[in-house]
Amino acid sequence: MHPAIPQLVDLQRLDQLIASLRSDLEGLPKRLREAEAKLNGARAAVTAAKEAHTQALTQRKKLELDVEQWKDRAKKYRDQSSSVKTNEAYKALQQEIAHAESEASKGEDRVLDQMMALEESERRVKHVAADLREAEQGVTADKKQIEAQFTEEKRKWTAATGERAELEKKVPEELRDLYNRIARKHPGSVMAEAKGEQCRGCGMRVLPHTLQLLKSETDEEVFRCEGCGRILYSQEPIPHAHKQAAEGAAQS
Ligand SMILES: [Zn+2]
């Protein structure tokens, strides 16, 4: 197996990490919008409750006005009753007075009922306003968490991208080109482990002879799967890899 293969495996690990971080980072603005959308429901409930309360207030004023009108009417009839000439007209007026007073009294009951409805709508306004405050606090916490995650993932992404650039420099040019070419077809899975006599990328059989060479310390060939074209490698044992990795780590 070619001695640069472990570096390619590492390159692939970084490519996968970078892709996954990028996908996370791209998803975060959407999560922020979703958090914000949670508030819209709570805000709409507050608006609706306030509107209902305003309507209840208007209704109370209207009912109070009704009572006033019936009372005024009763008063007007009473004033007239002192100056009527006939008994019949007097009786008729008395009936009108009784009717107006009865209506005023019914109206007062309605005002009382409406006061209760008003208390209820006022409680509802307070209740949904508290819900909104709670939602705002929750969303603030969510946003803070999302922003912290963004910063952290951006940091990891920058580190991984830098590490990848450094690593790529160490890979022989022709292998780098090959890797990048295959990556266009198989992004994030250019390297396929040959295990159990199979390419783990596509399942195609790997010849025992190839397997043997993949495991050999002295062989420096690059083998590609005949099925999918991925670069084959073997995990056991990769003496070069471990030695190089250890040396690389010691140097850096
Ligand atoms: Zn394959």
Side-chain angles (χ1 to χ4, degrees):
M1 183 167 74
H2 194 286
I5 295 284
Q7 289 168 342
L8 291 183
V9 172
D10 224 20
L11 204 60
Q12 165 153 303
R13 178 186 61 79
L14 285 168
D15 278 345
Q16 287 169 351
L17 176 64
I18 289 164
S20 135
L21 286 168
R22 192 172 53 219
S23 142
D24 273 2
L25 285 167
E26 282 168 357
L28 289 177
K30 186 168 165 267
R31 281 180 53 202
L32 276 179
R33 285 197 298 277
E34 283 168 355
E36 192 63 38
K38 273 193 217 162
L39 283 181
N40 293 342
R43 287 192 185 119
V46 169
T47 307
K50 281 183 178 166
E51 270 170 21
H53 186 61
T54 306
Q55 276 175 12
L57 276 170
T58 310
Q59 179 66 7
R60 188 189 65 184
K61 275 187 195 133
K62 185 177 165 289
L63 292 172
E64 281 171 348
L65 198 67
D66 275 355
V67 171
E68 286 311 307
Q69 281 172 344
W70 282 116
K71 281 183 176 170
D72 284 352
R73 215 173 286 182
K75 186 176 177 292
K76 195 181 80 189
Y77 293 142
R78 265 197 303 274
D79 291 347
Q80 284 173 12
S81 64
S82 57
S83 56
V84 287
K85 308 275 187 277
T86 68
N87 210 20
E88 260 174 33
Y90 181 78
K91 264 188 183 169
L93 264 181
Q94 289 304 309
Q95 269 178 6
E96 290 293 349
I97 292 167
H99 175 66
E101 281 176 342
S102 148
E103 286 301 322
S105 163
K106 279 186 213 160
E108 277 172 338
D109 287 347
R110 280 195 290 267
V111 169
L112 276 179
D113 285 347
Q114 189 57 23
M115 302 279 256
M116 268 146 78
L118 260 175
E119 277 173 24
E120 179 57 36
S121 67
E122 206 170 352
R123 267 200 299 275
R124 170 100 190 123
V125 168
K126 282 182 184 155
H127 182 71
V128 292
D131 282 353
L132 176 60
R133 277 195 300 278
E134 201 176 301
E136 277 168 345
Q137 281 165 6
V139 166
T140 305
D142 281 358
K143 276 179 159 178
K144 221 170 158 185
Q145 191 265 325
I146 292 169
E147 276 156 13
Q149 193 184 340
F150 187 89
T151 308
E152 176 60 10
E153 290 189 344
K154 189 74 196 290
R155 189 189 64 74
K156 283 185 185 164
W157 182 86
T158 309
T161 309
E163 197 184 335
R164 190 199 187 282
E166 282 306 306
L167 182 63
E168 200 181 31
K169 282 183 204 159
K170 295 177 190 159
V171 179
E173 200 179 346
E174 71 277 10
L175 266 185
R176 200 193 307 165
D177 291 347
L178 179 64
Y179 179 95
N180 290 331
R181 211 161 54 237
I182 300 172
R184 282 197 279 278
K185 196 176 170 194
H186 302 294
S189 83
V190 175
M191 309 301 293
E193 191 183 355
K195 202 176 177 185
E197 298 194 359
Q198 262 191 344
C199 161
R200 291 283 152 171
C202 71
M204 176 77 125
R205 184 162 179 258
V206 177
L207 295 172
H209 177 65
T210 308
L211 265 180
Q212 210 171 16
L213 288 172
L214 279 174
K215 290 177 184 177
S216 152
E217 271 184 78
T218 49
D219 188 78
E220 298 207 345
E221 285 169 274
V222 172
F223 291 98
R224 294 180 62 187
C225 170
E226 286 172 28
C228 62
R230 289 180 174 90
I231 300 172
L232 292 169
Y233 69 95
S234 171
Q235 286 279 23
E236 18 119 16
I238 314 183
H240 278 309
H242 294 164
K243 215 172 129 215
Q244 274 196 352
E247 280 167 5
Q251 276 164 16
S252 62

